[in-house]
Amino acid sequence: MLDDRDRKILDLLQQDASLAVSDLADRVNLSISACSRRIQRLEEEKYIAGRVVLLDRPVMGLPTTMFVIVRTARHSADWLEQFRAAIIDIPEIVEVHRMTGTIDYILKLVLPRVEAYDGIYKTLVEKVEFFDISASVSMETLKATTALPTHYAR
């Protein structure tokens, strides 16, 4: 069971995973050892899946976001395995979601420029058969976060 201090620790770590345990302990009114034990427990119980560094996309030369809409006429396990194999080694594809409704999959790509999509498109259609594939360029990001709300966790 999580309490308010656990949730606060998770919130703070989502904002900055490099915070020292002493800083976290101060912010949640715990001793350093008690805070450290809580963090260890949160990791052991899989509330904390990992710690990463978030890179600045424009500084990394990847300012463009595209969303690719995929529709397929095939829904077999072998088609899905082909699709997974095709997308797994393309680092510009940062998210893939299987959808309900008329769209089967949505892919999120990060690119240096729109023209870079052409190479990825060619790679995909060479490896997998699609019914329809289309792409849209994101003009503006209104909200983007990796932080999850912690109030649902039990």
Side-chain angles (χ1 to χ4, degrees):
M1 227 31 205
L2 295 185
D3 63 19
D4 288 341
R5 283 189 174 141
D6 292 329
R7 287 183 180 84
K8 182 69 173 172
I9 290 169
L10 292 172
D11 285 335
L12 290 166
L13 286 174
Q14 284 187 103
Q15 293 170 24
D16 184 358
S18 70
L19 282 173
V21 175
S22 58
D23 291 335
L24 281 169
D26 284 344
R27 293 185 190 189
V28 296
N29 297 317
L30 287 171
S31 69
I32 293 172
S33 59
C35 186
S36 181
R37 284 192 302 273
R38 281 180 183 248
I39 294 167
Q40 183 177 5
R41 179 180 53 80
L42 291 167
E43 289 173 334
E44 289 169 357
E45 293 176 0
K46 306 295 186 208
Y47 289 100
I48 298 173
R51 298 184 196 199
V52 299
V53 171
L54 300 175
L55 303 178
D56 185 288
R57 287 186 35 211
V59 171
M60 295 301 296
L62 297 165
T64 305
T65 303
M66 292 191 74
F67 293 93
V68 177
I69 308 299
V70 170
R71 291 175 53 207
T72 179
R74 297 178 52 206
H75 298 276
S76 63
D78 65 317
W79 183 92
L80 181 56
E81 190 52 42
Q82 277 184 314
F83 183 57
R84 282 187 181 159
I87 62 174
I88 197 76
D89 291 325
I90 302 174
E92 294 86 354
I93 301 174
V94 295
E95 291 184 36
V96 178
H97 300 268
R98 188 167 58 91
M99 308 298 293
T100 62
T102 60
I103 296 169
D104 293 312
Y105 299 90
I106 292 180
L107 290 65
K108 178 181 177 183
L109 284 69
V110 295
L111 302 165
R113 62 192 175 288
V114 173
E115 295 82 6
Y117 170 65
D118 188 51
I120 293 168
Y121 170 82
K122 288 176 181 174
T123 299
L124 287 173
V125 298
E126 182 180 290
K127 295 181 178 183
V128 184
E129 181 183 335
F130 298 103
F131 175 75
D132 183 45
I133 185 169
S134 62
S136 296
V137 178
S138 172
M139 299 297 291
E140 178 182 15
T141 301
L142 301 176
K143 181 179 180 179
T145 182
T146 59
L148 300 177
T150 57
H151 59 273
Y152 293 102
R154 298 184 188 270

